[in-house]
């Protein structure tokens, strides 16, 4: 089956928009679903939602590095950690930490988890080069299934939704010219759809697949940019004043999280209520936000003053409920 390709028009067309106001090409005025947005409307401000966040570090015992990648509606968290120079996936749920290792793999990470407890991630076999990644799905019962993108050497599943939609990327010999964002049904990998943008990766999706988010390299601007795909239309965006932007996840209400870099360093971001807001773990040297659930809880990783990487979860305080 020939995969469908999502177009990347130079002038984004107006299409049906199930989540109003969350699609804009920043830096220019653009009307989307009746809203006119511009860079001035999307400034980073210390919004009240951020002031109500409570941060908590996530560290796996004995690990040299912990990175939280995804969170579901129940608050279960997945990610990866490094212990004794080996990378393992992890699942934290119901007060229990479960290590995830794909059978026979030398490397395993965990990147996304849906409401049912299905986990997706990537693994590498012994002796393979660092460029190689193969996808897997681990069911709530602990059964592993291989996730491949037909016709390509490598695949990285990033998220799985409650409907079984998997998004991520495929690549062959590098993580640039051969990398493209993909979306597929977990039950029908041959029917994948592909984002035709250079060095792209689709990192998040709503359950119905109507809104996708990700990252790509804009060769004309010589920078990494975020993107949203709504109704089949690809629209790039940048956090204002940033030199790099990457979108990593989106929840059901259209809130987008990710990472940006500016003159002050590396930060996470939340794009919600038509505004960008910076996410910075307290006293961290750098912060990256990778996942968000329906409630608005976020997970990611921060670097401390000594250069060590920890996972974190940022939750709304009880008075904000």
């Amino acid at each position: 089956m020939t995969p469908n390709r999502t177009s990347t028009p130079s002038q984004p067309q107006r299409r049906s928009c199930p989540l109003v106001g969350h699609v804009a090409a920043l830096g220019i005025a653009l009307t989307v679903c009746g809203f006119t947005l511009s860079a001035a409307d999307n400034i980073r401000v210390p919004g009240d939602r951020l002031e109500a966040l409570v941060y908590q570090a996530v560290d796996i015992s004995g690990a040299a590095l912990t990175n939280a990648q995804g969170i579901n509606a129940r608050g279960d968290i997945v990610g990866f950690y490094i212990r004794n120079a080996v990378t393992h996936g992890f699942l934290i749920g119901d007060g229990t930490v479960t290590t995830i290792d794909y059978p026979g793999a030398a490397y395993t990470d965990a990147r996304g988890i849906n409401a049912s407890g299905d986990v997706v991630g990537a693994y590498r076999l012994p002796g393979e080069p660092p460029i190689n990644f193969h996808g897997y799905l681990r069911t709530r019962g602990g059964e592993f299934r291989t996730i491949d993108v037909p016709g390509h050497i490598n695949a990285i599943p990033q998220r799985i939704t409650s409907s079984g939609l998997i998004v991520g990327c495929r690549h062959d010999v590098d993580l640039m010219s051969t990398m493209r964002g993909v979306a597929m049904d977990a039950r029908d990998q041959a029917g994948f759809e592909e984002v035709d943008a250079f060095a792209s990766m689709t990192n998040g999706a709503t359950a119905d697949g109507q809104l996708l988010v990700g990252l790509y390299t804009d060769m004309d601007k010589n920078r990494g940019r975020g993107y949203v795909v709504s109704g089949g239309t690809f629209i790039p965006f940048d956090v204002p004043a940033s030199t790099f932007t990457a979108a990593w996840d989106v929840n059901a209400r259209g809130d987008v999280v990710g990472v940006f870099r500016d003159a002050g360093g590396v930060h996470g971001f939340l794009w919600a209520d038509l505004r960008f807001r910076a996410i910075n773990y307290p006293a961290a040297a750098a912060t990256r936000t990778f996942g968000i659930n329906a409630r608005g809880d976020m997970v990611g990783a921060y670097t401390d003053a000594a250069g060590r990487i920890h996972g974190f979860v940022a939750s709304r305080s009880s008075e904000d409920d």
Side-chain angles (χ1 to χ4, degrees), residues 26 42-45 237 239-240 269-271 275-277:
L26 302 183
N42 290 277
I43 58 173
R44 292 196 316 279
V45 296
F237 74 89
V239 173
F269 73 79
L270 169 66
W271 186 11
R275 293 183 182 274
F276 281 107
R277 298 171 172 94

Side-chain angles (χ1 to χ4, degrees), residues 185-310:
D185 190 313
R187 298 158 296 186
D188 180 19
Q189 298 170 36
F192 70 96
E193 296 184 358
E194 189 169 289
V195 172
D196 193 16
F198 185 78
S200 58
M201 185 171 188
T202 303
N203 294 321
T206 52
D208 58 8
Q210 290 301 300
L211 185 65
L212 309 176
V213 302
L215 59 88
Y216 79 109
T217 299
D218 187 326
M219 298 301 290
D220 292 333
K221 296 181 178 295
N222 192 31
R223 60 170 293 165
R225 307 185 71 189
Y227 67 77
V228 295
V229 178
S230 179
T233 299
F234 176 100
I235 304 176
F237 74 89
D238 308 302
V239 173
S242 69
T243 58
F244 169 88
T245 299
W248 281 100
D249 202 6
V250 60
N251 67 9
R253 70 182 300 273
D255 300 335
V256 179
V257 294
V259 178
F260 73 97
R261 182 177 58 239
D262 64 7
V266 175
H267 320 267
F269 73 79
L270 169 66
W271 186 11
D273 304 321
L274 305 183
R275 293 183 182 274
F276 281 107
R277 298 171 172 94
I279 304 294
N280 289 304
Y281 190 90
T287 304
R288 296 169 173 85
T289 311
F290 294 120
I292 186 169
N293 66 10
R295 185 175 181 270
D297 302 324
M298 295 171 278
V299 294
Y302 73 93
T303 305
D304 65 21
R308 184 182 175 190
I309 296 175
H310 312 260

Side-chain angles (χ1 to χ4, degrees), residues 71-74 76 112-120 160-164:
I71 184 169
N72 67 7
R74 295 180 66 247
D76 301 329
I113 182 169
N114 66 12
S116 300
D118 300 322
V119 176
V120 292
I160 181 168
T161 71
S162 57
S163 65

Side-chain angles (χ1 to χ4, degrees), residues 22-193:
H22 289 279
V23 181
L26 302 183
I28 62 172
L30 175 68
T31 300
V32 180
C33 301
F35 284 77
T36 300
L37 305 179
S38 68
D41 297 316
N42 290 277
I43 58 173
R44 292 196 316 279
V45 296
D48 55 353
R49 291 182 65 183
L50 288 195
E51 292 168 357
L53 288 177
V54 176
Y55 291 87
Q56 181 179 355
V58 175
D59 286 305
I60 301 300
S61 178
L65 175 154
T66 303
N67 189 314
Q69 290 274 305
I71 184 169
N72 67 7
R74 295 180 66 247
D76 301 329
I77 299 170
V78 295
F80 60 88
Y81 68 93
I82 298 176
R83 181 188 289 157
N84 299 325
V86 178
T87 301
H88 309 268
F90 71 79
L91 163 63
I92 301 175
D94 298 322
T96 301
V97 178
T98 301
T99 291
I100 299 175
D101 287 317
Y102 188 87
Y107 165 104
T108 305
D109 62 42
R111 295 170 181 251
I113 182 169
N114 66 12
S116 300
D118 300 322
V119 176
V120 292
Y123 69 93
R124 184 183 304 121
L125 297 173
E128 288 192 297
I131 196 69
N132 282 26
F133 291 96
H134 311 287
Y136 74 83
L137 184 158
R138 178 186 182 271
T139 67
R140 183 174 183 176
E143 176 189 357
F144 284 93
R145 302 174 187 172
T146 301
I147 300 297
D148 292 315
V149 177
H152 297 284
I153 300 171
N154 299 297
I156 303 176
Q158 187 67 32
R159 307 283 172 209
I160 181 168
T161 71
S162 57
S163 65
L165 176 68
I166 294 175
V167 296
C169 72
R170 57 80 169 170
H171 66 278
D172 294 314
V173 296
D174 60 26
L175 289 169
M176 289 293 289
S177 64
T178 63
M179 189 169 79
R180 296 293 184 273
V182 296
M184 67 179 75
D185 190 313
R187 298 158 296 186
D188 180 19
Q189 298 170 36
F192 70 96
E193 296 184 358

